[in-house]
Amino acid sequence: MKELVAELILKSAKSLNLKLKKEEIITLIEIPPSAEMGDYAFPCFFLAGLLKMAPEEIAVEVRKNIKKIPEQFEDIQSQGAYVNFFLDRKEMAKSLILKILEEKENYGKTDIGKGKIIVVEFSSVNIAKPFGIGHLRSTIIGNSLSRISEFEGYKIIRMNYLGDWGTQFGKMILGYKKFGNARKLNSKNAIKHMLEIYIKANKKQYEEKARQEFQELEKGNKENLMLWKKFKEASLKNFEKIYRVLGIKFDVYSAESEYNDSLIAIIDELLKKKIIKESEGALIADLEEFGLSTAIIEKSDGATIYLTRDIAAAVDRFKKYHFEKMVYEVGQEQILHFRQLFKLLELLGYDWSKNCIHVSHGLYLDKDGKKFATRKGKTIFMEDVLDETMDLAKKEIKKRYPKISKIELEKRALKVAIAAIFYGDLKNNRSNNIMFDIKRFVSFEGDTGPYLQYSYARANSIIKKAKTNKRNISISDLDNKEIELIKKFSQFPEIAKKSFTQLNPSFIANYSYQLSKIFNEFYHECPVIGSEKEQFRLLLVASFQQILKNCLFLLGIEPLEKM
């Protein structure tokens, strides 16, 4: 509906010889604080300087130039410095409900990305390290961004870029040779054993020897290669098990090691174009003139670093996919790295580098307000997180359904646990740090994932109790909560689009909570079953359920028919 308002303003502005863009107008349109002031309002303050007129006079002129009021509106008025738009609420309710129930999971979708590809790199876990909550944010946010982008019509390549190379593997190999156990490495607890030996080997006294072990790995030492492959195999088994539980899928698994053979060509090209130079035996790119610090391309001992491999990976990805965008969902501590990467790609002459985007996120913080650090052994395993969250979910479910079967309790608790974890993250702006608090996430009340599932289940219960499923809409006078709910329905397509353009799922998450809150207020104030308006209100309930289902899907959360 905002688009229709924007079109009317745009036509009126032309009559005043104003050159405005529709997108610019849409961002300015407001929703008034009370129904008496209309359903949408356009402020004229910013036009005062352009027209050399008072905002109040401009509002009068804008309204005057809107000759014919479209059937979707009851009235359009100028009030002070605003042009206020009053919807024909009955007509709006009827057309909107029919649209939602007809389009179902397609309600809110667009095709703006038709025929275009976006590669989304996310999760990107490190081999031989546990899947802890350090990579969980990237996994949750990247999964949601992939779904949101698909919702806007793009073809998405979901990529997990594994950290399977680098000097840390010198420490792992040394650690295994000194402290490792073959039986433990082949057991289901292999990932915990690898963490143990990494912590033991990550000491200053072993640094030089670990560096030598990595150099041997790069040279193709058979024993070191065999150990590296075992670390990788054991890690992938653990990761894939967790992804299955979380409902996360990838189209491509890629890895740093795949680009070792490409590095000589990349370095030669950087040298040829005089982008890098030798300094104290190392190869560096001086990027200070671009406001960036010096980037190391090759260390003095000849060891490569992941910036060089990232250049090779980006070039390879564009050749394979010809992407419209390449999205890297990686923590904000890597901001400098990606600025250097994108600048080096630009200097190499790749025009598509401007379509590479670093979508950064803040950290999960421990209860002491500090970040988790694997090297000190201070980490939380994803399996432990899920177990703890499920235990809390089971307690909440059993309070409400004491006779629930064990099998059903397990199924339901897992879905509630995932909703709690995912929503506990996604409701926050991704750039913010988050205190990781499972107990708060699992609450069935307030701004939580389980609350959204509970609202969906409540809607489902109402529909099941109904004796009719007719869709002939007969609307009498609309109550305030009905109007509020319908207006919220209309905002979903715009919210989905905003989440995509800003690459931020928190808009959908927060909308989901607001929608559910309004629905529950409507439920308490407006009886459905047995009321004179039962048929119409059932359609409102069904519409709410469908939109919330769409929202939950975009967040990676599965709805529940029963809590």
Side-chain angles (χ1 to χ4, degrees):
M1 197 57 70
K2 267 190 179 181
E3 294 212 352
L4 179 56
V5 173
E7 286 169 11
L8 293 172
I9 296 294
L10 192 62
K11 288 179 183 177
S12 179
K14 286 179 181 176
S15 301
L16 294 168
N17 294 317
L18 286 170
K19 293 181 180 179
L20 301 176
K21 292 181 179 179
K22 186 177 176 181
E23 293 75 18
E24 181 184 9
I25 295 169
I26 288 173
T27 61
L28 292 168
I29 295 169
E30 300 174 4
I31 295 176
S34 67
E36 291 76 22
M37 299 170 71
D39 298 291
Y40 296 98
F42 178 72
C44 298
F45 300 101
F46 85 107
L47 297 175
L50 297 172
L51 294 172
K52 309 299 181 188
M53 293 168 61
E56 295 81 0
E57 294 177 66
I58 297 169
V60 171
E61 289 300 313
V62 170
R63 170 62 189 93
K64 192 186 295 183
N65 290 326
I66 300 173
K67 307 294 184 184
K68 185 180 178 183
I69 298 178
E71 61 181 11
Q72 291 93 333
F73 297 94
E74 282 186 348
D75 196 10
I76 301 173
Q77 302 174 1
S78 60
Q79 295 180 359
Y82 291 85
V83 181
N84 294 338
F85 296 78
F86 296 80
L87 294 168
D88 182 335
R89 289 165 178 169
K90 290 181 185 179
E91 185 58 37
M92 175 196 177
K94 183 177 179 179
S95 60
L96 185 59
I97 288 169
L98 287 173
K99 182 178 176 67
I100 294 164
L101 298 180
E102 182 180 331
E103 295 184 1
K104 295 183 179 179
E105 67 273 7
N106 293 319
Y107 175 65
K109 279 187 177 181
T110 72
D111 61 356
I112 59 172
K114 188 176 181 181
K116 299 173 185 175
I117 292 173
I118 295 178
V119 179
V120 183
E121 179 198 308
F122 65 102
S123 195
S124 299
V125 284
N126 293 316
I127 295 299
K129 290 186 180 180
F131 190 127
I133 61 173
H135 286 277
L136 182 59
R137 288 213 75 185
S138 175
T139 305
I140 292 171
I141 297 169
N143 179 58
S144 183
L145 288 177
S146 298
R147 292 181 176 217
I148 290 166
S149 300
E150 279 181 331
F151 204 66
E152 298 300 320
Y154 290 87
K155 180 182 178 183
I156 304 302
I157 307 295
R158 292 167 170 82
M159 179 177 287
N160 196 337
Y161 185 55
L162 304 170
D164 72 337
W165 205 253
T167 54
Q168 71 271 24
F169 285 95
K171 294 175 185 177
M172 281 299 307
I173 291 166
L174 175 66
Y176 185 79
K177 287 179 178 179
K178 290 182 74 66
F179 314 110
N181 182 294
R183 181 181 56 80
K184 287 184 178 179
L185 186 60
N186 292 317
S187 73
K188 64 178 182 180
N189 292 317
I191 202 81
K192 291 187 177 181
H193 181 53
M194 285 188 277
L195 177 61
E196 288 169 2
I197 62 176
Y198 176 77
I199 292 167
K200 287 179 180 179
N202 191 38
K203 292 179 181 175
K204 195 168 184 179
Q205 68 196 76
Y206 300 127
E207 280 183 5
E208 183 56 37
K209 182 62 178 173
R211 194 176 294 113
Q212 291 170 12
E213 292 287 8
F214 179 62
Q215 286 175 348
E216 286 298 309
L217 177 64
E218 287 203 304
K219 290 175 185 175
N221 177 286
K222 287 184 180 180
E223 184 185 6
N224 287 13
L225 273 173
M226 179 195 70
L227 287 173
W228 172 75
K229 286 176 181 176
K230 281 191 173 183
F231 297 153
K232 189 168 180 177
E233 183 182 337
S235 299
L236 281 171
K237 282 182 182 178
N238 177 262
F239 299 155
E240 286 169 356
K241 178 184 172 184
I242 293 168
Y243 290 133
R244 280 195 300 272
V245 172
L246 297 178
I248 308 287
K249 293 182 179 179
F250 293 95
D251 301 298
V252 177
Y253 277 88
S254 182
E256 288 186 54
S257 61
E258 293 173 17
Y259 297 101
N260 288 337
D261 295 339
S262 309
L263 300 184
I264 294 173
I266 291 293
I267 291 170
D268 285 347
E269 190 176 358
L270 288 165
L271 285 167
K272 184 180 178 182
K273 295 186 176 179
K274 298 182 179 180
I275 297 169
I276 60 174
K277 62 184 179 181
E278 188 177 334
S279 175
E280 297 180 6
L283 292 175
I284 65 165
D286 184 354
L287 302 175
E288 288 187 13
E289 66 178 292
F290 306 107
L292 300 169
S293 58
T294 298
I296 298 173
I297 299 300
E298 186 178 82
K299 294 181 180 179
S300 57
D301 61 5
T304 56
I305 65 167
Y306 62 86
L307 175 58
T308 321
R309 290 190 287 277
D310 274 1
I311 295 170
V315 173
D316 179 59
R317 291 171 190 180
F318 188 76
K319 285 179 182 176
K320 282 181 180 174
Y321 306 115
H322 298 282
F323 52 74
E324 177 76 9
K325 291 180 184 178
M326 173 67 238
V327 173
Y328 298 83
E329 209 306 317
V330 183
Q332 61 188 10
E333 63 271 24
Q334 296 295 325
I335 286 174
L336 174 60
H337 167 79
F338 283 105
R339 285 179 179 168
Q340 290 176 330
L341 171 63
F342 301 158
K343 177 53 69 175
L344 288 167
L345 288 169
E346 180 189 332
L347 294 173
L348 283 166
Y350 296 115
D351 291 340
W352 47 263
S353 62
K354 63 181 179 293
N355 298 324
C356 294
I357 303 164
H358 176 209
V359 174
S360 64
H361 62 259
L363 299 168
Y364 279 140
L365 303 179
D366 202 351
K367 290 178 182 177
D368 60 3
K370 297 178 181 179
K371 73 174 186 175
F372 299 95
T374 305
R375 66 182 180 276
K376 296 177 183 177
K378 186 181 180 184
T379 190
I380 292 182
F381 287 79
M382 195 59 226
E383 294 100 322
D384 296 336
V385 171
L386 279 169
D387 288 344
E388 182 185 350
T389 314
M390 279 187 69
D391 286 343
L392 290 168
K394 284 175 185 176
K395 288 176 185 176
E396 291 293 331
I397 293 167
K398 286 183 81 172
K399 283 180 191 176
R400 291 161 175 78
Y401 304 96
K403 295 181 180 180
I404 190 171
S405 70
K406 286 186 179 180
I407 294 174
E408 185 59 30
L409 180 62
E410 287 289 330
K411 287 180 183 177
R412 220 175 284 184
L414 178 58
K415 291 177 183 179
V416 170
I418 291 171
I421 294 167
F422 281 27
Y423 185 80
D425 185 313
L426 295 173
K427 71 177 182 179
N428 302 279
N429 189 305
R430 58 175 166 75
S431 62
N432 296 339
N433 293 338
I434 301 174
M435 193 79 75
F436 198 77
D437 188 345
I438 288 296
K439 288 183 180 177
R440 183 164 52 88
F441 289 178
V442 177
S443 173
F444 277 44
E445 297 176 359
D447 191 5
T448 67
Y451 173 77
L452 302 185
Q453 289 178 314
Y454 178 75
S455 301
Y456 182 91
R458 168 174 275 174
N460 188 62
S461 175
I462 294 169
I463 290 168
K464 283 195 171 183
K465 287 177 184 176
K467 295 177 182 178
T468 178
N469 60 359
K470 293 180 181 178
R471 290 194 177 178
N472 295 324
I473 302 179
S474 176
I475 304 175
S476 55
D477 291 337
L478 292 168
D479 291 347
N480 286 337
K481 280 299 168 188
E482 292 171 334
I483 294 168
E484 197 176 346
L485 193 56
I486 291 162
K487 286 169 75 171
K488 204 69 186 174
F489 292 167
S490 71
Q491 294 170 19
F492 173 63
E494 178 192 345
I495 293 294
K497 189 175 181 180
K498 186 177 181 181
S499 288
F500 169 73
T501 55
Q502 298 195 27
L503 295 172
N504 198 334
S506 68
F507 294 114
I508 289 174
N510 293 320
Y511 170 84
S512 302
Y513 172 63
Q514 294 160 12
L515 177 68
S516 297
K517 191 168 180 287
I518 294 169
F519 169 73
N520 285 304
E521 289 169 359
F522 155 79
Y523 171 78
H524 287 296
E525 292 184 26
C526 304
V528 179
I529 306 298
S531 73
E532 292 180 359
K533 301 169 73 173
E534 178 177 329
Q535 188 177 328
F536 170 63
R537 287 178 176 170
L538 280 170
L539 295 176
L540 282 179
V541 174
S543 299
F544 159 76
Q545 188 183 36
Q546 183 62 61
I547 295 175
L548 183 58
K549 186 177 184 179
N550 292 1
C551 289
L552 293 175
F553 174 79
L554 295 177
L555 300 175
I557 296 171
E558 192 171 341
L560 282 174
E561 304 295 316
K562 288 182 180 180
M563 284 299 285

